[in-house]
């Protein structure tokens, strides 16, 4: 199997929503891996409709291009923690309260109707897709149902109680 990543190069990636608004800019030697990580840890990930990747000759060149892109293009979810105190923009916080509530209430109703058999294992990513939200938002909502006793959490999995 060949390595899909150019040796010694770094990728600059941009994430856009369906209206073409720039959400985030980042760099990585392995952008596909990094995008999968973002899918699991960014509340706003479900808004990403497309991404662009460009390869640069070195990490230093990628860092400079990332800083320039953040300053000139103002992505919504990059903030001063990326560039230090000189960065004039604080990262925008994504408020997932309404989406988390919708997932929690939708799953509560499904559990009460008996839509899931006892012992069924649930995961954030499929539940997130079902409700049109990120895996992280669904994961947080499922944890709230654990707190309410409607699900169990064991060995890093959610389950419908027996």
């Amino acid at each position: 199997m060949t390595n899909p990543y150019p040796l010694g190069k770094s990728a600059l990636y941009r994430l856009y929503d369906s209206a073409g608004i720039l959400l985030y800019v980042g760099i990585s030697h392995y952008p596909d891996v990094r995008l999968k990580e973002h899918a699991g840890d960014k509340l706003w990930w479900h808004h990403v409709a497309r991404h662009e990747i460009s390869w640069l000759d070195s990490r230093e060149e990628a860092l400079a291009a990332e800083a320039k892109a953040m300053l000139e293009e103002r992505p919504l979810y990059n903030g001063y923690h990326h560039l230090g105190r000189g960065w004039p923009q604080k990262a925008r916080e994504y408020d997932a309260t309404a989406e988390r509530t919708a997932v929690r209430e939708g799953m509560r109703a499904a559990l009460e109707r008996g839509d899931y058999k006892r012992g069924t294992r649930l995961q954030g990513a499929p539940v997130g897709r079902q409700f049109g939200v990120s895996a992280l938002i669904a994961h947080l909502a499922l944890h709230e149902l654990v707190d309410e006793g409607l699900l169990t959490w064991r060995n890093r999995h959610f389950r419908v109680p027996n």
Side-chain angles (χ1 to χ4, degrees):
M1 186 167 138
T2 61
N3 183 357
Y5 307 108
L7 290 176
K9 295 192 178 229
S10 286
L12 172 71
Y13 60 89
R14 290 175 172 86
L15 306 176
Y16 297 90
D17 71 7
S18 60
I21 294 171
L22 181 61
L23 301 175
Y24 192 84
V25 173
I27 62 170
S28 177
H29 290 294
Y30 308 102
D32 293 340
V33 173
R34 189 69 180 125
L35 294 179
K36 286 179 185 174
E37 290 171 351
H38 285 324
D41 66 13
K42 302 297 185 202
L43 291 171
W44 45 262
W45 180 259
H46 59 290
H47 291 289
V48 175
R50 68 180 176 89
H51 65 272
E52 294 177 355
I53 297 174
S54 53
W55 289 96
L56 299 150
D57 289 330
S58 67
R59 181 160 177 80
E60 294 74 26
E61 194 176 322
L63 283 166
E66 178 188 40
K68 182 178 182 204
M70 282 192 260
L71 287 170
E72 293 177 0
E73 300 170 45
R74 300 283 188 201
L76 287 181
Y77 299 114
N78 287 93
Y80 60 65
H81 62 280
H82 290 93
L83 294 176
R85 294 180 186 206
W87 175 247
Q89 171 182 317
K90 185 175 180 183
R92 180 180 290 190
E93 301 260 339
Y94 184 81
D95 183 3
T97 305
E99 293 162 318
R100 194 177 67 243
T101 299
V103 173
R104 184 184 66 238
E105 296 308 314
M107 287 300 297
R108 177 184 286 118
L111 291 165
E112 290 171 355
R113 284 191 309 266
D115 292 355
Y116 296 97
K117 294 179 184 176
R118 295 174 190 221
T120 299
R121 194 167 105 179
L122 299 170
Q123 296 176 315
V127 171
R129 284 192 296 275
Q130 178 183 344
F131 286 91
V133 301
S134 69
L136 181 56
I137 291 172
H139 186 87
L140 295 170
L142 293 173
H143 266 296
E144 291 176 4
L145 294 172
V146 169
D147 293 342
E148 295 175 21
L150 295 173
L151 295 175
T152 61
W153 172 253
R154 194 167 146 219
N155 298 329
R156 299 179 58 188
H157 295 328
F158 299 99
R159 289 199 187 273
V160 177
N162 289 326

